[in-house]
């Protein structure tokens, strides 16, 4: 019997690029290619009660590549950009206030 976790892991690696970059779509003469951050994981084990395994994954849309006559350009997903930027700005602001307070002493 094949090891299911190993087989799922091989399939995940083989199709990783296909999951991160979607198929190009033509809309009104403009080619659009979606881009996402994909994460997947699989685990298997052998316990007293028998064999078992699990797996899961997630995809976070980052934006699209847009190909026009002018050239290729990346347009980010604003919602994802804000979700990443807000915690970064908070941490940076807190760090800057501590640095400024330390320099004043």
């Amino acid at each position: 019997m094949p090891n299911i976790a190993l087989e799922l892991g091989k399939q995940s690696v083989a199709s990783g690029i296909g999951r991160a970059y979607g198929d190009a779509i033509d809309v009104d003469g403009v080619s659009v290619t979606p881009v996402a951050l994909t994460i997947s994981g699989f685990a298997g084990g052998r316990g007293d009660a028998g064999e078992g395994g699990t797996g899961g994954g997630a995809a976070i849309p980052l934006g699209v590549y847009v190909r026009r006559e002018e050239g290729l350009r990346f347009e980010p997903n604003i919602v994802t950009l804000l979700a990443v930027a807000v915690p970064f700005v908070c941490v940076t602001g807190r760090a800057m206030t501590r640095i400024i307070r330390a320099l004043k002493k």
Side-chain angles (χ1 to χ4, degrees):
M1 182 171 157
N3 190 334
I4 295 173
L6 289 176
E7 292 299 319
L8 289 173
K10 289 177 188 176
Q11 290 177 4
S12 174
V13 170
S15 65
I17 293 294
R19 290 182 184 162
Y21 296 96
D23 295 330
I25 302 167
D26 288 327
V27 179
D28 295 332
V30 177
S31 177
V32 178
T33 305
V35 180
L37 172 67
T38 61
I39 303 166
S40 61
F42 301 97
R46 196 175 281 206
D48 295 338
E51 295 184 14
T54 186
I60 302 168
L62 298 178
V64 294
Y65 280 109
V66 178
R67 182 180 300 275
R68 294 188 176 121
E69 293 176 1
E70 304 91 46
L72 183 68
R73 174 176 127 185
F74 180 76
E75 294 184 6
N77 180 349
I78 300 300
V79 174
T80 304
L81 184 62
L82 288 173
V84 171
V86 168
F88 178 74
V89 169
C90 290
V91 169
T92 303
R94 181 168 265 203
M96 290 300 292
T97 57
R98 289 183 181 195
I99 291 171
I100 292 170
R101 282 183 188 160
L103 292 174
K104 284 184 177 180
K105 289 183 180 183

